[in-house]
């Protein structure tokens, strides 16, 4: 928190449709919840995406956009965006540069893998990281990021 979020451009998917996702362009819409997850269609990642999908109206009401990121191929993300994300929010490719920039490489047995850790960020429209939460259990990510977005919104009022 307090650091500037690294800008990036990558491939994303929303409702099964591929698009180019740029962080700065997304931030023009308002605060952003950028959450990293290890791999689409695994139990924890599916549960987390479904929870974010269910909470999308709450995030929108608070003025925020949600984007999930994993090091998956774009075709897998397109499928995930319609199924587990219920076409409610975008998912995007976490490239090696994005993974390094956000320090979200999943470490197993002391070595970095090509997967991402389960880490959620809330980023202000000016690119400042407001909140960060890293925990492999998906249980608290939606609740905690929504609370951070609401705190930001309330401070702006």
């Amino acid at each position: 928190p307090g650091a500037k979020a690294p800008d990036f451009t990558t491939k994303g998917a929303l409702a099964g449709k591929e698009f180019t996702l740029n962080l700065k362009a997304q931030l023009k819409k308002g605060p952003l919840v950028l959450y990293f997850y290890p791999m689409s269609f695994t139990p924890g990642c599916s549960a987390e995406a479904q929870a974010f999908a269910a909470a999308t109206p709450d995030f929108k009401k608070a003025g925020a956009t949600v984007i999930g990121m994993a090091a998956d191929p774009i075709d897998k993300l397109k499928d995930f965006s319609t199924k587990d994300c219920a076409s409610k929010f975008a998912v995007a490719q976490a490239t090696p540069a994005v993974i390094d920039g956000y320090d979200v490489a999943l470490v197993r047995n002391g070595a970095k893998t090509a997967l991402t850790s389960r880490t959620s960020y809330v980023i202000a429209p000016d690119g400042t990281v407001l909140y960060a939460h890293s925990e492999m259990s998906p249980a608290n990510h939606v609740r905690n990021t929504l609370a951070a977005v609401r705190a930001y919104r309330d401070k702006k009022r």
Side-chain angles (χ1 to χ4, degrees):
K4 282 289 185 187
D7 190 27
F8 62 86
T9 300
T10 190
K11 291 180 182 177
L14 177 61
K17 295 190 177 21
E18 185 177 331
F19 69 99
T20 299
L21 185 139
N22 173 262
L23 178 69
K24 282 185 182 171
Q26 291 296 316
L27 291 174
K28 289 179 182 174
K29 301 175 188 176
L32 176 69
V33 174
L34 188 66
Y35 86 92
F36 292 86
Y37 61 96
M39 188 185 304
S40 299
F41 297 115
T42 56
C45 298
S46 290
E48 183 177 30
Q50 291 163 11
F52 269 112
T56 295
D58 297 323
F59 282 102
K60 284 184 179 175
K61 185 177 177 187
T65 302
V66 173
I67 296 173
M69 295 195 77
D72 291 330
I74 192 62
D75 287 340
K76 189 172 187 180
L77 291 170
K78 285 163 57 175
D79 198 25
F80 193 67
S81 75
T82 60
K83 293 179 179 165
D84 288 345
C85 303
S87 300
K88 302 264 179 143
F89 64 93
V91 286
Q93 285 186 310
T95 64
V98 171
I99 292 169
D100 285 345
Y102 284 84
D103 193 25
V104 292
L106 181 62
V107 176
R108 285 196 177 143
N109 301 321
K112 288 184 178 182
T113 68
L115 303 175
T116 64
S117 63
R118 190 176 314 279
T119 302
S120 298
Y121 292 97
V122 176
I123 305 169
D126 69 359
T128 302
V129 175
L130 301 171
Y131 175 80
H133 177 71
S134 191
E135 179 183 10
M136 284 309 284
S137 168
N140 296 314
H141 288 265
V142 173
R143 180 179 64 244
N144 291 0
T145 55
L146 184 56
V149 167
R150 286 177 172 156
Y152 171 79
R153 177 200 61 198
D154 293 346
K155 198 183 286 187
K156 287 292 183 187
R157 286 187 174 169

